[in-house]
Amino acid sequence: MNIVVLVKQVPDSGADRNLRNDDNTVDRGSANNVINEMDEYAIEEALKIKEAHGGEVTILTMGPDRATESIRKALSMGPDKAVHVLDDALHGSCAVATSKVLAAALGQLNADLVICGAESTDGRVQVMPHMIAERLGVAALTGARKLTVDGATLTVERQTEEGYEVVTAATPAVVSVWDTINEPRYPSFKGIMAAKKKPVQTLSLADLGVAADEVGFGGATSAVVEHTKRPPRSGGAKITDEGEGGVKLVEFLATEKFV
């Protein structure tokens, strides 16, 4: 089975994250950039499928030069090769344009199965798997907590707030996973050294047949108009009960629209 895993480099969610003042995009230059956490679970699931059924695992990333760091980290876990979509015109692309570029790249890779994280920690829009599946004309099995492969048939347990749904589809398909699906392996020293020699193909917009004016700020269907920093936490309201504590509490809750 030919498996492609979508991997995105994002600012570390454990550190302070900012937007740039000049164009309101994520300030990746000032952050410690890492593999999107959910994508590590997607990588692990792809490797488990390869180990059980054979095949090849390819990492696909769209991002700037520095995304190469995350590509090598992903390869150190065990995938065979990677493709890096790299073009200066991509800066400022919205989710719609991003899906078009990734779908164009996937069209060249002839994947039987595309696996990705259910969301990215920087955008958190959760629409990329659906958009890509629509562009490719294949099924989207999203929010999986379990994935079973039986020949060309895929079965997932789709995680919901009430429990889970069982959904099936035939390959080719796009599957997105939650962090409940497995436990990602740690790269071994051997894997880290091997990753340095694994092939990484770079593709431009021209290679994909996508015009520059279809992506970036010019091709964006949405944009951040303005942004402000989250206000610092302040001390909570203190109510001293002098016989009217209950009334004051209800008034406070009403002010905050809790009641």
Side-chain angles (χ1 to χ4, degrees), residues 139-155:
L141 305 179
T142 57
R145 72 173 196 175
K146 182 179 180 180
L147 170 61
T148 303
V149 178
D150 183 8
T153 301
L154 306 174
T155 303

Side-chain angles (χ1 to χ4, degrees), residues 168-179:
T168 63
T171 58
V174 177
V175 176
S176 68
V177 302
W178 286 113
D179 55 1

